[in-house]
């Protein structure tokens, strides 16, 4: 005769028993996972635009580059949440994107510069191009833009530091110096270059000097092309910050996440600025040189 187990209370359905068993096993595994354990033991963090900000004193075990903001006592940890998704690619592919972006800038800037050249020669005419564009309008507008940008490097320095690539980005970025240092010197160059363009543009627009004055101020005539050349090179040098925002979703300060349309528009704007600066540097130099020869 078969012996049956005593009935100690109501039996749960077998499907419920299996569900509870799986649930308990899952909780046990997750409770021993280092990332989950860190979430329960570390202070609460705020997720801002693909980043996580926690206190420096907490133990951080997150893959990827980490940047410490000593002024606020915070660590900015970039999470894999960029709209482009490039930060999830292998580093070799990220490196290719970095250099590919520079190549794309060069490929796009060349025909844009040639277009401006054709515009100046065939449509507007060199004389009107010089008087309306090169002598005054273009250097004044670009000077104001870069002057304002340079002041911003100091007025909201921490926001600019947020988009500086930390060491190890793309597998190739190991530039010496702190983010504060690079934000400061690039801001200073933007201010000086913007002031140089403003000085040259306003001088040509409102000040009419005599021949003696021109002979005594030969170097002054080359301030405008020199400033445009410096700003052209600087715009190329600060491009990694733009690439970092594109590939890793970095933003300035408390800005919301930037979608792909923003990066496409900014790429076009950067091509326009590079083309205008190169055209201004070239034409203002040849105009100044021609004046000296005359």
């Amino acid at each position: 005769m078969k012996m049956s187990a005593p009935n100690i209370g109501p039996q749960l359905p077998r499907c419920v028993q299996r569900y509870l068993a799986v649930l308990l096993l899952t909780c046990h595994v997750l409770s021993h996972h280092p990332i989950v354990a860190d979430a329960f033991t570390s202070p609460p963090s705020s997720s801002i635009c693909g980043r996580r900000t926690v206190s420096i004193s907490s133990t951080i075990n997150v893959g990827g580059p980490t940047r410490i903001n000593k002024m606020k006592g915070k660590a900015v940890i970039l999470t894999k949440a960029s709209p482009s998704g490039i930060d999830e690619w292998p580093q070799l592919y990220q490196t290719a994107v970095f250099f590919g972006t520079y190549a794309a800038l060069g490929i796009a800037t060349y025909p844009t510069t040639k277009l401006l050249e054709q515009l100046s020669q065939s449509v507007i005419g060199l004389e009107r191009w010089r008087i309306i564009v090169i002598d005054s309008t273009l250097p004044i507008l670009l000077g104001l833009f870069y002057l304002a940008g340079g002041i911003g490097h100091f007025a909201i320095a921490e926001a600019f530091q947020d988009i500086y690539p930390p060491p190890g980005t793309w597998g190739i970025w190991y530039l010496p110096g702190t983010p504060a240092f690079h934000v400061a010197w690039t801001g200073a160059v933007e201010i000086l270059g913007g002031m140089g363009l403003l000085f040259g543009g306003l001088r040509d627009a409102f000040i009419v000097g005599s021949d003696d004055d021109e002979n005594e101020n030969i170097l002054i005539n080359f301030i405008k092309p020199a400033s445009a050349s410096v700003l052209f090179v600087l715009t190329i040098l600060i491009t990694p910050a733009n690439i970092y925002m594109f590939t890793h979703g970095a933003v300035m300060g408390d800005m919301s996440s930037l979608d792909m349309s923003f990066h496409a528009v900014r790429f076009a704007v950067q091509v326009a600025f590079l083309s205008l600066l190169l055209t201004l540097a070239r034409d203002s130099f040849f105009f100044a040189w021609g004046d000296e020869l005359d």
Side-chain angles (χ1 to χ4, degrees):
M1 183 176 61
K2 296 182 179 180
M3 299 292 294
S4 60
N7 189 2
I8 308 178
Q11 296 291 325
L12 294 175
R14 182 168 298 179
C15 61
V16 178
Q17 295 179 19
R18 291 177 179 175
Y19 171 78
L20 292 176
V22 172
L23 181 61
L24 291 174
L25 179 61
T26 303
C27 292
H28 175 75
V29 173
L30 289 178
S31 64
H32 289 78
H33 195 281
I35 295 181
V36 177
D38 177 71
F40 285 97
T41 58
S42 301
S45 60
S46 58
S47 177
I48 303 176
C49 306
R51 299 175 299 160
R52 196 157 59 87
T53 304
V54 300
S55 63
I56 295 177
S57 59
S58 62
T59 302
I60 302 172
N61 184 19
V62 178
T66 301
R67 181 169 64 253
I68 305 298
N69 187 336
K70 293 183 179 179
M71 294 182 63
K72 288 187 175 182
K74 301 291 183 181
V76 178
I77 304 171
L78 302 181
T79 62
K80 299 181 183 299
S82 68
S84 66
I86 296 176
D87 54 349
E88 296 182 345
W89 295 4
Q91 283 193 340
L92 180 62
Y93 294 166
Q94 294 185 34
T95 304
V97 171
F98 177 84
F99 290 108
T101 303
Y102 268 104
L105 279 175
I107 293 173
T109 300
Y110 177 77
T112 307
T113 305
K114 298 298 291 184
L115 179 63
L116 290 173
E117 183 178 352
Q118 292 296 322
L119 181 66
S120 65
Q121 295 177 357
S122 304
V123 179
I124 299 179
L126 287 178
E127 188 64 25
R128 293 182 59 196
W129 174 260
R130 174 180 182 176
I131 296 174
I132 298 175
V133 179
I134 300 300
D135 280 353
S136 57
T137 303
L138 188 57
I140 291 175
L141 292 178
L142 290 177
L144 289 173
F145 176 83
Y146 278 96
L147 179 61
I151 294 174
H153 278 232
F154 296 94
I156 51 174
E158 293 181 6
F160 280 93
Q161 293 172 24
D162 286 342
I163 62 173
Y164 180 82
T169 307
W170 311 296
I172 58 172
W173 188 260
Y174 295 98
L175 191 66
T178 63
F181 168 75
H182 290 290
V183 169
W185 78 260
T186 53
V189 174
E190 286 190 5
I191 290 175
L192 293 176
M195 291 176 62
L197 290 182
L198 275 176
F199 172 80
L202 293 174
R203 176 175 177 269
D204 290 342
F206 300 107
I207 300 177
V208 180
S210 63
D211 293 337
D212 293 337
D213 293 336
E214 293 294 330
N215 293 330
E216 293 176 358
N217 300 302
I218 295 178
L219 294 179
I220 294 180
N221 294 331
F222 292 94
I223 290 180
K224 189 192 304 177
S227 298
S229 301
V230 169
L231 291 176
F232 175 81
V233 174
L234 180 67
T235 303
I236 296 176
L237 293 178
I238 64 176
T239 297
N242 298 338
I243 300 176
Y244 180 53
M245 297 177 70
F246 168 60
T247 59
H248 288 71
V251 295
M252 298 179 64
D254 296 334
M255 291 176 58
S256 59
S257 181
L258 303 171
D259 57 22
M260 297 301 295
S261 61
F262 169 84
H263 298 290
V265 171
R266 185 179 55 189
F267 180 86
V269 170
Q270 186 170 1
V271 169
F273 271 93
L274 287 173
S275 302
L276 290 173
L277 286 170
L278 184 59
T279 299
L280 178 60
R282 180 196 61 201
D283 290 358
S284 60
F285 173 79
F286 284 115
F287 288 144
W289 183 258
D291 292 342
E292 294 302 324
L293 291 179
D294 293 340

